[in-house]
Amino acid sequence: MHKRPQPSSWEKMAVKVLQKAYISLILIIILGSLFSGVFYRWQTKMMNPKEDWLLRQVYRKDILNSMCLMNNLSYSQSKLPHDVARQIFVEHNHKFIYCEVPKVGCTNWKKIILLLTMNLSREINEVHDDLIHTTSLIKRLSSYSSDYQEKLLTSYTKVMFTRGPLERLVSAYRDKLLHSEPYYSITVANEIKAMFRKNKNSTERVTFQEFVNFILTQNQEKLDIHWRPMFLLCDPCDIHYDIMGKFETVVQDSERVLRNIGAPEDMHYPNFKKYSSEKRTSDDITLGYFRKLSSEQIQKIKEMYKMDFALFNYPYETDTE
């Protein structure tokens, strides 16, 4: 039996050099992100609102790009996955591309896209929710050929909005499981009850604990889009979005988007909520729901959304435990 040849001293040295170079690269990325954060906070004291907003965009994209690199999430695929292309809406009049992330104000954005597409001067709140989710008047990127998709992605203004992962999850639960939408309140609810209740015919609503346990049994890539991780919906490591907005700063970010694409001056993102009698899901409401979970459940659900925390710079350590 032949002995495996031992690596030469030169080969050992080359391996050590490569290891050191890799570690150095990671440290540069981490230190660069930390420095940009310190620099950003110092600069915001010196800037006017527009410069402050632009600097915030640079900071968000720096964090995103660093985390994509560190987690090896850039695949540079020749063809955009169909599931991602389906989430992206195209508005040709203003060369505007928007990636839909459910529970991050996407209904209002689709209303804006419809009005821009049709050149209508109506109030955004006049567009009914039922219409916006069924109309074929607004086009998805998936309806175009792969070559044309690539052309649009390189020439149109691309926008994505994110939200704190835990708050988005609570918002999805409240919206879909506590209201009378047949698919979620009946079909999905019955599936959850069948998994976690002895009495499968129970008429009591699905609890947040059951909802979380249900999500934890699923493959994250196959999750319903309302609670699928945001990075899987919009692929921000391969699609370089021009504007990275956040639900937490939606007023400022949406205004910049609309002015940037040349939307009518009187068009503004609306402060409209489907169930207007209810309070919008906030930090306090989210905390109330997470206090119902065990520490093990909290850790597992945070682990499932860890890439959303990292890529979009949301604090992983929260007051939920």
Side-chain angles (χ1 to χ4, degrees):
M1 196 171 176
H2 294 290
K3 284 188 176 181
R4 198 174 182 181
Q6 295 296 314
S8 67
S9 58
W10 183 89
E11 287 172 323
K12 288 180 181 178
M13 185 180 297
V15 169
K16 286 182 180 179
V17 169
L18 287 172
Q19 288 175 336
K20 287 181 179 179
Y22 179 75
I23 292 169
S24 299
L25 176 62
I26 295 299
L27 287 173
I28 289 169
I29 291 169
I30 294 171
L31 291 172
S33 297
L34 290 172
F35 177 75
S36 64
V38 172
F39 182 69
Y40 164 71
R41 286 190 289 274
W42 176 78
Q43 282 281 68
T44 53
K45 296 178 181 178
M46 314 295 290
M47 299 286 184
N48 65 40
K50 184 176 180 180
E51 291 171 328
D52 179 19
W53 183 85
L54 290 171
L55 194 61
R56 191 186 301 131
Q57 283 294 303
V58 171
Y59 181 50
R60 288 175 183 175
K61 292 176 192 176
D62 280 351
I63 293 289
L64 173 62
N65 293 334
S66 297
M67 291 298 110
C68 287
L69 181 61
M70 286 178 65
N71 291 283
N72 196 27
L73 291 174
S74 298
Y75 304 114
S76 300
Q77 303 169 79
S78 58
K79 184 179 179 181
L80 191 67
H82 182 73
D83 284 353
V84 175
R86 267 192 58 78
Q87 291 302 118
I88 297 175
F89 290 89
V90 182
E91 198 283 300
H92 294 289
N93 293 334
H94 299 80
K95 296 187 175 181
F96 176 41
I97 279 178
Y98 165 75
C99 185
E100 176 190 19
V101 178
K103 309 316 305 166
V104 188
C106 64
T107 298
N108 286 332
W109 276 113
K110 287 195 282 187
K111 290 179 180 181
I112 287 172
I113 290 170
L114 177 64
L115 294 180
L116 291 174
T117 299
M118 302 302 293
N119 281 317
L120 297 175
S121 58
R122 284 180 159 188
E123 290 292 323
I124 293 169
N125 291 346
E126 291 181 49
V127 182
H128 294 293
D129 286 7
D130 292 341
L131 167 67
I132 207 62
H133 293 306
T134 57
T135 182
S136 59
L137 294 173
I138 54 177
K139 300 297 182 184
R140 296 179 187 269
L141 189 64
S142 56
S143 65
Y144 301 103
S145 68
S146 297
D147 289 344
Y148 195 49
Q149 286 180 20
E150 186 177 350
K151 181 180 178 181
L152 294 173
L153 287 169
T154 55
S155 57
Y156 282 22
T157 300
K158 302 174 294 298
V159 175
M160 175 186 178
F161 273 76
T162 63
R163 186 178 190 176
L166 303 186
E167 186 175 295
R168 176 174 173 252
L169 188 65
V170 171
S171 179
Y173 167 74
R174 295 177 73 207
D175 184 38
K176 299 302 176 186
L177 275 301
L178 299 186
H179 295 113
S180 56
E181 291 187 40
Y183 174 69
Y184 292 98
S185 64
I186 298 175
T187 306
V188 175
N190 286 342
E191 184 181 351
I192 296 173
K193 291 174 186 177
M195 292 179 70
F196 302 108
R197 293 186 185 180
K198 291 180 180 179
N199 179 9
K200 298 176 183 179
N201 297 318
S202 169
T203 57
E204 291 182 8
R205 287 174 172 171
V206 169
T207 66
F208 186 63
Q209 296 95 314
E210 291 171 329
F211 175 64
V212 167
N213 284 336
F214 170 70
I215 289 175
L216 292 174
T217 66
Q218 312 292 306
N219 178 332
Q220 65 173 194
E221 294 186 0
K222 301 299 181 183
L223 286 172
D224 183 283
I225 61 170
H226 293 87
W227 43 86
R228 191 181 304 167
M230 296 178 283
F231 84 101
L232 291 176
L233 292 171
C234 296
D235 194 12
C237 291
D238 286 313
I239 299 174
H240 301 295
Y241 290 93
D242 300 289
I243 296 176
M244 292 297 302
K246 289 195 174 188
F247 191 75
E248 295 78 7
T249 53
V250 68
V251 174
Q252 305 97 303
D253 294 343
S254 60
E255 193 65 18
R256 296 295 177 188
V257 170
L258 293 172
R259 304 292 74 84
N260 187 281
I261 65 172
E265 288 296 322
D266 60 350
M267 178 177 279
H268 305 283
Y269 185 86
N271 182 22
F272 178 75
K273 187 177 182 299
K274 184 177 180 180
Y275 300 105
S276 55
S277 61
E278 295 179 356
K279 288 184 178 179
R280 195 181 296 279
T281 302
S282 62
D283 286 344
D284 289 342
I285 289 174
T286 300
L287 182 59
Y289 277 96
F290 270 81
R291 280 177 174 159
K292 300 173 184 178
L293 303 180
S294 67
S295 58
E296 183 182 6
Q297 285 175 308
I298 292 172
Q299 282 306 118
K300 284 182 177 179
I301 204 70
K302 287 165 74 174
E303 180 68 17
M304 178 166 272
Y305 293 96
K306 67 179 181 180
M307 282 298 105
D308 280 350
F309 283 103
L311 296 174
F312 309 121
N313 197 30
Y314 287 102
Y316 189 83
E317 296 302 325
T318 62
D319 297 327
T320 52
E321 298 176 72

